[in-house]
Amino acid sequence: MSARRGRLTVLVPLLALGLAGAPGLSRGETVEATETFEGTHSLVGSYLAGRIAKSQNDAAEAAEFYRNALIHDPENELLLEQAFQIEATRGDWPRAFKLAEDLVGVQKQHRMAQLALALRDFKAGAWRKSEEHFKSAGSGPIGELTSAMAVAWVELAQNDISGALARLDLPKQAEWAQFFLRYHRALIADIAGRRAEARASYEKVYGQDARTLRIALAFARHEAYTGDRKRALSIINEHIEKSQGDGHPLLRSLRAAVQSGKKIDPIVTTPSDGMAEVFYGLGEALIGEGAVGVGVLYMQMALFVEPDHQFALAALASAYEGNKQYADAINTYNRIPKTSPLATAVEIRKAFNLNSLDRVDEARATLSALLDETSKTQATETKTEAAAPAEPAKPELASLADDEVLRRGDRGDSVQKLQEALQALGYDIGTADGKFGDGTRRAVMAFQKKNDLKADGVVGPETFRAILSGGAAASGTKTAKADPALDEPLPLTVSDRLEILDALGNILRARKMYAEAIPYYDQALALVPKPERRHWVYFYARGTSYERLKNWSAAEADLEKALSLYPDQPLILNYLGYSWIDQGRKLKEGMAHIEKAVALKPDDGYIVDSLGWAHYMQGNFADAVRYLERAVELKPDDPVLNDHLGDALWRVGREREARYQWDQALSLKPEPEDEAKIKKKLESGLTGVDAPAAISGSGKQAAKSGENEQK
């Protein structure tokens, strides 16, 4: 899904405005200890244990410890605040609401507590109380923006359209805030039927940021909803063309729905949907700007209002992944329906999380099931087609030109096919004679009415497509779903299969199971008859696997092919150039490749290390020290980089510093074979070692960098 999936881009970093931290966290965290420390059952012990659990992203443990602490001091403001934040972040709302009430009792303007109580009252229909809480949460730029948008939806819930729109009129807000205000103005205007006002707001928002998936979906759905399907398709296609592959599955699903003539609703249809959108949008922006804690809290608030908000679920799961809370991520992904167009991307992400939990067999089974299900479906369809008797051909309608219409008095093949299609749906048109008479007009009007189209009896491209797709039969049963962009799964595309195979290969490659990984890359490349730039990753991954298996001829061929597809990709330049130098071949060309990789990615510690070690291997020890020191600055927690720097320092006579770096490398838990070598160097230095000789295992850095990028 990645599905990083589309977020509302904030034009000014929120962190620069001091919005990232949760209220109260800037104060000195002190608990007045009135008892002797007695382990985690005491006040101080429970508090400290809670802080440690929280720092380790173990929300369940942290919540339990803070509950214990509150037993000893139930009115402690700091404990209330920490406990509330933990319970709300976990989505345990009954406990969070009770703590929020206690917290506002001692800190009236606590923003998050007030927001929680506001949402509780909003969901209960207590509009006045909800509005009061939202207003109390309106301190600071992010609080003011949240409050304004939330109160607008409270006003709309009371059918006060003008009041709702007025709440969004904040001319003094910064441009990044106006982005959100315009977006919600468009959503409210859509629900209120003010189509011109909605379109104007969508135009401004889309012009401000056309890259964001959510905005593209909302604008396209608005255009389809108001009847301009051509414009809707233009927006969808523009967004897809800017992406690699087949485009986001939700866009592809929406495109299919628009093309088939199905009824398309706005992306938000109720005040509850709109309220969830407030917290989803701001939460996604906060997470994107690094304020993950507050962003997750906002995301949980969105899900409290609308538990099935798929974008919020995906964003929350992604945030859990970033915090290495892999089990929580899997549980959150499991809340997204299997019928969603996001289902394939969700299963891929679940597989990576299972792998991170060392459940490799489950990860492989999850990904293999996606491929197996597709194969079974295709085989079943083929078998059914071969065995089943031919069905009567359904009437096919040629597409109408954008400016073409059929109306009473028209004649021809298109009219006759229109009549046949209406008859197939159960409408009485009399005789399908190719003459557009009163009976045909009445049938068309009945169809249009049932499908929420303008019931004028005139068949334009939109009505024509709707009849072609089946629309609503005369019996009144509608085949179109309320939300076709979210309710129907998509068949796997070539890009989907490539992503699944790549995930399988990468999981195995990261676990050094190179021989098992290669067949998956073989299958992936078999799906690509004419490789493009975006396919470099499969050649690169297979090439690095061959190199680890010491099949250099195959590795070199793949790496050079990858580089021909993407000449400025630093990972390929680094790996190929380093491999040549490691083998004592093409030294000049290899150095040029690595130097170019460093120029393209100067802050990658592994690539900078490659350049430093390449100098070392050629006896250029002074240059080696310069680059290796920089590499360790960039990646101080890597044992191999520290080991390399120690070797280079020894060669230039800085023996005390060299021993320090080797000691540092030893403390960082190197591989067992490297640990033994480092210990030996600490004992006797590099005495007796040939100066420019490559150290066994020195090729690790190029590969390691590549693996980090590919996961």
Side-chain angles (χ1 to χ4, degrees):
M1 133 174 30
S2 191
R4 296 238 346 181
R5 350 173 271 310
R7 69 179 179 88
L8 299 175
T9 302
V10 181
L11 302 182
V12 174
L14 296 179
L15 292 176
L17 301 175
L19 309 177
L25 290 180
S26 61
R27 296 191 303 275
E29 294 192 353
T30 59
V31 177
E32 191 173 321
T34 57
E35 56 184 286
T36 305
F37 178 77
E38 297 176 355
T40 57
H41 294 292
S42 68
L43 169 60
V44 176
S46 295
Y47 169 72
L48 293 176
R51 286 197 61 184
I52 292 171
K54 182 180 178 183
S55 70
Q56 295 173 343
N57 295 315
D58 190 339
E61 282 289 307
E64 187 63 34
F65 286 127
Y66 281 126
R67 288 174 205 156
N68 290 337
L70 282 169
I71 292 172
H72 296 279
D73 192 357
E75 296 182 0
N76 186 292
E77 182 179 335
L78 175 61
L79 290 177
L80 286 171
E81 182 174 65
Q82 294 293 315
F84 161 73
Q85 289 172 357
I86 286 292
E87 300 291 8
T89 298
R90 296 177 66 230
D92 190 337
W93 290 110
R95 285 194 174 99
F97 291 143
K98 175 62 173 65
L99 290 165
E101 289 176 343
D102 294 341
L103 189 52
V104 298
V106 296
Q107 192 182 145
K108 177 72 174 177
Q109 303 302 318
H110 193 284
R111 187 202 317 155
M112 291 301 178
Q114 289 285 6
L115 289 176
L117 296 175
L119 291 174
R120 178 197 64 183
D121 292 338
F122 173 81
K123 200 165 183 178
W127 313 123
R128 185 181 61 79
K129 289 183 179 180
S130 177
E131 186 171 334
E132 288 175 357
H133 285 303
F134 277 130
K135 288 180 179 177
S136 296
S139 59
I142 197 69
E144 184 180 357
L145 179 61
T146 305
S147 176
M149 294 192 295
V151 170
W153 288 104
V154 175
E155 298 281 9
L156 188 68
Q158 300 173 80
N159 297 315
D160 185 354
I161 298 169
S162 297
L165 293 171
R167 296 287 183 181
L168 302 175
D169 187 12
L170 299 174
K172 293 184 179 180
Q173 283 285 332
E175 189 62 18
W176 66 264
Q178 294 298 337
F179 176 84
F180 290 97
L181 294 167
R182 290 166 186 151
Y183 175 57
H184 282 268
R185 176 177 289 277
L187 297 176
I188 289 174
D190 242 350
I191 293 177
R194 300 186 178 185
R195 296 182 176 182
E197 188 171 354
R199 172 174 282 183
S201 295
Y202 276 126
E203 291 277 8
K204 289 180 180 178
V205 173
Y206 192 67
Q208 194 170 344
D209 183 4
R211 299 169 300 167
T212 300
L213 173 63
R214 193 69 172 170
I215 297 301
L217 284 169
F219 192 15
R221 290 177 69 133
H222 161 80
E223 293 297 323
Y225 172 65
T226 57
D228 193 343
R229 291 178 180 258
K230 183 178 179 180
R231 178 73 187 284
L233 289 172
S234 174
I235 295 166
I236 294 168
N237 290 331
E238 178 184 357
H239 205 278
I240 289 176
E241 287 169 5
K242 290 178 180 178
S243 65
Q244 290 190 350
D246 301 315
H248 194 280
L250 289 177
L251 283 169
R252 289 190 279 117
S253 180
L254 180 58
R255 180 169 62 182
V258 172
Q259 289 173 331
S260 68
K262 291 181 179 180
K263 178 178 177 289
I264 306 295
D265 287 325
I267 201 165
V268 164
T269 58
T270 67
S272 182
D273 290 341
M275 185 66 76
E277 195 74 9
V278 170
F279 288 88
Y280 158 71
L282 290 174
E284 181 77 348
L286 286 162
I287 291 171
E289 295 296 334
V292 178
V294 183
V296 166
L297 188 48
Y298 265 57
M299 213 62 70
Q300 287 284 22
M301 289 179 171
L303 290 167
F304 167 72
V305 181
E306 287 295 332
D308 298 328
H309 196 299
Q310 293 187 31
F311 268 67
L313 288 168
L316 179 60
S318 180
Y320 283 145
E321 289 175 343
N323 285 337
K324 299 184 179 180
Q325 296 170 261
Y326 304 117
D328 290 331
I330 292 170
N331 291 335
T332 305
Y333 280 130
N334 283 337
R335 292 169 60 183
I336 297 176
K338 298 289 186 182
T339 55
S340 168
L342 298 174
T344 298
V346 163
E347 291 300 299
I348 293 172
R349 291 312 314 164
K350 283 167 59 178
F352 277 118
N353 286 302
L354 287 167
N355 179 57
S356 296
L357 292 170
D358 291 326
R359 294 157 63 180
V360 185
D361 291 341
E362 291 178 68
R364 292 182 69 174
T366 297
L367 295 168
S368 296
L370 291 175
L371 297 173
D372 291 345
E373 189 62 33
T374 304
S375 299
K376 289 177 183 177
T377 301
Q378 291 173 338
T380 301
E381 290 174 350
T382 302
K383 184 176 180 180
T384 301
E385 289 173 3
E391 293 182 359
K394 295 180 180 180
E396 294 183 1
L397 298 178
S399 298
L400 292 180
D402 290 336
D403 57 351
E404 183 181 1
V405 296
L406 299 175
R407 52 168 53 90
R408 186 170 56 182
D410 287 344
R411 301 186 179 196
D413 292 339
S414 294
V415 173
Q416 183 163 346
K417 290 177 180 178
L418 169 69
Q419 293 170 328
E420 291 169 355
L422 288 166
Q423 283 181 325
L425 290 172
Y427 291 94
D428 181 13
I429 54 95
T431 303
D433 55 2
K435 300 176 182 177
F436 199 130
D438 288 333
T440 301
R441 182 173 181 272
R442 284 193 297 270
V444 168
M445 291 178 67
F447 176 90
Q448 290 170 325
K449 186 174 182 180
K450 285 185 178 294
N451 287 273
D452 296 325
L453 299 169
K454 184 179 180 181
D456 57 2
V458 176
V459 179
E462 182 181 6
T463 298
F464 204 68
R465 284 192 298 267
I467 294 172
L468 171 64
S469 68
S475 63
T477 302
K478 292 189 176 183
T479 58
K481 295 183 179 181
D483 194 347
L486 293 178
D487 290 348
E488 294 184 0
L490 293 169
L492 287 186
T493 64
V494 170
S495 291
D496 291 330
R497 293 187 183 90
L498 286 172
E499 191 171 354
I500 295 166
L501 291 165
D502 189 41
L504 280 163
N506 286 344
I507 286 173
L508 295 171
R509 188 163 59 101
R511 292 185 173 274
K512 302 182 180 181
M513 301 165 69
Y514 305 112
E516 293 182 56
I518 287 172
Y520 291 115
Y521 297 124
D522 291 341
Q523 291 179 55
L525 289 169
L527 296 172
V528 185
K530 294 182 179 180
E532 301 173 3
R533 172 170 161 160
R534 60 194 172 96
H535 299 126
W536 71 271
V537 292
Y538 310 116
F539 289 101
Y540 173 80
R542 190 173 67 176
T544 61
S545 299
Y546 277 130
E547 188 271 337
R548 291 310 182 87
L549 294 172
K550 302 188 184 304
N551 184 350
W552 176 245
S553 60
E556 186 175 39
D558 273 346
L559 292 171
E560 289 187 322
K561 177 63 177 178
L563 192 61
S564 71
L565 295 172
Y566 196 169
D568 293 328
Q569 171 46 247
L571 295 178
I572 313 170
L573 289 163
N574 178 53
Y575 205 111
L576 182 58
Y578 190 90
S579 297
W580 281 334
I581 292 173
D582 195 36
Q583 298 169 35
R585 302 173 57 237
K586 300 184 179 181
L587 298 181
K588 184 176 180 180
E589 189 175 354
M591 286 296 290
H593 278 2
I594 300 175
E595 287 169 347
K596 184 176 180 181
V598 170
L600 291 166
K601 208 169 183 181
D603 294 331
D604 187 310
Y606 296 119
I607 294 179
V608 175
D609 174 77
S610 292
L611 182 55
W613 199 239
H615 278 293
Y616 178 93
M617 293 169 66
Q618 296 177 78
N620 305 323
F621 299 127
D623 287 333
V625 168
R626 180 160 57 93
Y627 288 110
L628 292 172
E629 284 182 330
R630 172 60 178 158
V632 170
E633 286 177 8
L634 292 168
K635 200 71 178 174
D637 57 350
D638 189 280
V640 178
L641 272 63
N642 281 276
D643 183 27
H644 282 179
L645 177 56
D647 289 3
L649 288 168
W650 183 276
R651 294 301 184 192
V652 295
R654 295 161 61 180
E655 296 180 5
R656 181 179 297 178
E657 293 172 80
R659 292 185 185 279
Y660 172 82
Q661 293 302 147
W662 289 329
D663 189 61
Q664 181 71 4
L666 201 60
S667 72
L668 294 170
K669 299 179 180 179
E671 295 290 333
E673 64 271 22
D674 292 333
E675 183 178 358
K677 294 174 184 176
I678 294 170
K679 287 181 177 179
K680 187 173 181 180
K681 284 186 281 190
L682 280 168
E683 292 175 4
S684 55
L686 296 182
T687 304
V689 178
D690 292 336
I695 295 175
S696 177
S698 62
K700 287 179 180 177
Q701 300 323 305
K704 194 167 188 178
S705 179
E707 288 167 3
N708 287 345
E709 289 292 330
Q710 288 301 302
K711 284 192 73 175

